[in-house]
Amino acid sequence: MSKQSSAWGLLAALTGLNVLNFADRFLLIAFSTAIVPELGLSNLQFGLLTGIVFVIVYSVFGLFAGALADRVHRGKLIAVGLALWSGLTALTGLAKSFTQIALPRMLIGVGEACLTPAAMTLLSERLPASRRALATGIYYMGYPLGIGGSFIFAGIVGPTLGWRGGFMILGALGVVAALLVWFFMRDPSRERGVGGLPRAKAAPLSQSYHGIKAELRHNRAFRLTLLGGVFLGFSLGAGVLDLLWWVHERGYAQAEGQKLLGTLFLLGGTFGAFFGGAGADWAHAKFGMGGRLKFLAATI
């Protein structure tokens, strides 16, 4: 297998894991109409489960996970994170109260934070710079595919196995995937060093954090990108109660609402992710430095 085909194969595998990542993350929302009444949750409690409870841990540990991805075998890091979040997803299916469902949701953020830093650095090493935006767009197709897939999965599995069975099945699939990643995902630069040379000694973690501070202080594009991500998170958070509203106030059947929301995410999100990646690479080739940012500004 050529290096190029191997790199695109790695991209396909990592995109599949990202699909599983977002499917696990949004399965709680996909089953909201069953979980909220059974556990007696208020809208505030459900909002906390899908927002602050998960996001704070995910965000804080994400910095640590990124530093780890600079220092350890990234395939092994992904496997450990995947096994952790998948096991906790299965455990979520046993919850009987707000506290019992909140604790695994918090820790799921620890596992999921390991995937993207490791995945992005693996892809940046294996793919040419002229195709990195397209590769990123394909990787982030896992976002709409995972979200849409979670709703459709819930609509198919829910009527027979219930929400608890759905969480356990998806968790078990993730544990199997983690074993495959542990044994088969390679990280050549960490296994033998860059260019076949011995691996260099890893720099201390403090160096990574000093580097982040320097980027925040001096890199305006980096600051604006982070700010854009924050506002994107606000818009996504506003939709966590959509299914509850559709079913309780607009009269949709639960399975009907799940499948319809899933289809909307699949169609719109998949097109947007692929178009965004391909378009950004085109803009970079045409306009050079800053082309990708100009494309982003034009499409927002």
Side-chain angles (χ1 to χ4, degrees), residues 23-24 26-35 145-167 169-170 243 253-263:
D24 278 17
F26 276 78
L27 195 61
L28 188 70
I29 300 171
F31 277 123
S32 59
T33 50
I35 294 172
L145 289 174
I147 298 174
S150 71
F151 281 100
I152 293 173
F153 174 79
I156 294 172
V157 171
T160 54
L161 298 179
W163 69 271
R164 297 181 185 278
F167 274 90
I169 289 173
L170 201 58
L243 183 60
Q254 177 177 297
E256 179 187 11
Q258 288 166 331
K259 292 175 182 177
L260 181 56
L261 273 173
T263 302

Side-chain angles (χ1 to χ4, degrees), residues 17 20 79 82-83 86-87 168-184:
L17 295 179
L20 190 59
L82 175 55
S86 298
M168 291 178 184
I169 289 173
L170 201 58
L173 289 174
V175 170
V176 172
L179 290 172
L180 294 174
V181 171
W182 179 273
F183 288 110
F184 295 109

Side-chain angles (χ1 to χ4, degrees), residues 179-241:
L179 290 172
L180 294 174
V181 171
W182 179 273
F183 288 110
F184 295 109
M185 184 170 287
R186 301 291 307 279
D187 188 354
S189 69
R190 298 290 163 81
E191 292 166 5
R192 64 174 183 268
V194 177
L197 298 173
R199 290 179 56 190
K201 184 178 179 181
L205 288 175
S206 59
Q207 182 173 320
S208 293
Y209 297 123
H210 288 311
I212 292 173
K213 287 173 62 177
E215 287 297 316
L216 286 171
R217 188 179 299 114
H218 303 295
N219 190 332
R220 183 169 176 266
F222 183 50
R223 293 197 303 271
L224 291 174
T225 300
L226 287 177
L227 185 62
V230 170
F231 284 114
L232 176 61
F234 287 158
S235 65
L236 293 172
V240 299
L241 298 175

Side-chain angles (χ1 to χ4, degrees), residues 58-92:
Y58 179 83
S59 301
V60 172
F61 190 78
L63 295 174
F64 181 66
L68 277 179
D70 286 333
R71 290 161 173 79
V72 303
H73 189 290
R74 287 163 288 187
K76 300 292 191 284
L77 177 63
I78 291 171
V80 170
L82 175 55
L84 177 61
W85 95 57
S86 298
L88 290 166
T89 294
L91 186 63
T92 301

Side-chain angles (χ1 to χ4, degrees), residues 7-21:
W8 290 105
L10 174 66
L11 173 61
L14 291 172
T15 300
L17 295 179
N18 206 26
V19 170
L20 190 59
N21 174 17

